[in-house]
Amino acid sequence: NDEANGLIQKIKIILKEGKIASAGIREKKEGLGFVVLRKTKNGGSIVSLVYFGKVPEAEAKFLAGEILARGVNSVNILLNDFWAEVSEGRLVKTFGRETIEEELLGKKFAVKHDTFFQTNPASAEKIFSEVREFVQGSASVLDLYCGVGTIGICIAEAVGKVVGMEVVVESIRLAEINAWINGVKNIS
C-alpha cells in the first residue's frame, strides 16, 4: 500500500545518506543484506535488518533509531552467519516493541518478526470465515502448523475444541498468549 511504500522510500534514504554498506553474499562481503518490512492492517510495523558477517553495533543502533523515529514499532537486528541468500538470521537485538498487533475477524494477534502470520489478511479472513461455517457444532479441529494460532482462534467459538500443533517454540508461546488475549478457552 502507499503507506508501506512511503516507509520503504524513507528507509532507502536513511541507508543512502548513512552510506550503509550492502552485503555481497557470493563473495562473503560483510554488510546489510536485507531490509524486511511487515505492516499490519491497523498500522503496526516491524522492520528486520539482516546483516551478513557481523553486525556493526553503532550503525545498527543508528539505523534502528532513525527507523523508529519514522513511526515503526519494532526494529530487529538479525545476523545471517550462514551466508545463505535468505532474509532471516539469529536475533541480535530488538529496538522498540517485541511484538506488533494484527487483527483478523475481530480477534487480536501478537506477532513477532520471525513468526509466521498470513501475509494477506483480507484473503485470510475470507478463508477462515468459510472454514468456520464448514466446521460448526461440537466438532474437534486439529490445526496443524498453527503458528501463532490464527486459524484455531478464529474458528474456536464455532466448534467444540481446537488442538493446535506447532514445532516452533516461540510461535507456541505466542499462540498461548493470543488465545488468552482473545478469551479463547477451548483451545490447546
Side-chain angles (χ1 to χ4, degrees):
N1 67 22
D2 289 340
E3 186 180 350
N5 288 334
L7 184 54
I8 292 291
Q9 292 308 313
K10 289 176 187 176
I11 292 171
K12 284 173 66 175
I13 291 168
I14 294 167
L15 296 175
K16 186 175 181 180
E17 289 176 354
K19 297 183 171 124
I20 306 303
S22 60
I25 297 167
R26 288 193 180 106
E27 60 274 12
K28 294 203 175 187
K29 177 183 165 233
E30 295 176 343
L32 182 62
F34 294 98
V35 177
V36 180
L37 169 65
R38 170 183 221 125
K39 295 241 351 133
T40 66
K41 68 179 186 178
N42 60 358
S45 54
I46 290 179
V47 169
S48 294
L49 303 174
V50 184
Y51 281 89
F52 287 80
K54 69 177 180 181
V55 174
E57 289 183 39
E59 175 183 295
K61 186 176 180 179
F62 164 77
L63 285 176
E66 291 291 314
I67 293 168
L68 288 171
R70 281 149 180 89
V72 171
N73 305 105
S74 176
V75 177
N76 297 278
I77 309 300
L78 308 176
L79 177 61
N80 179 319
D81 49 12
F82 43 92
W83 292 95
E85 206 163 322
V86 294
S87 59
E88 58 187 48
R90 177 176 48 83
L91 179 65
V92 175
K93 184 155 179 70
T94 296
F95 295 88
R97 292 179 27 202
E98 184 179 340
T99 63
I100 57 172
E101 184 180 283
E102 182 61 276
E103 188 175 323
L104 289 176
L105 296 175
K107 306 292 185 188
K108 297 178 191 287
F109 297 92
V111 180
K112 289 181 69 174
H113 75 282
D114 60 348
T115 52
F116 174 79
F117 197 83
Q118 305 300 320
T119 56
N120 186 330
S123 292
E125 286 182 323
K126 289 177 186 174
I127 294 167
F128 296 171
S129 293
E130 292 287 325
V131 171
R132 187 168 52 193
E133 286 182 34
F134 182 74
V135 296
Q136 290 190 12
S138 62
S140 292
V141 174
L142 182 60
D143 184 1
L144 300 174
Y145 310 102
C146 67
V148 298
T150 51
I151 297 172
I153 290 169
C154 285
I155 68 169
E157 61 194 20
V159 300
K161 181 178 182 178
V162 176
V163 176
M165 302 294 290
E166 179 58 66
V167 296
V168 178
V169 174
E170 187 60 22
S171 291
I172 295 167
R173 185 179 78 81
L174 286 174
E176 291 168 343
I177 290 168
N178 290 332
W180 179 81
I181 288 169
N182 290 290
V184 176
K185 298 188 184 336
N186 63 334
I187 193 167
S188 60

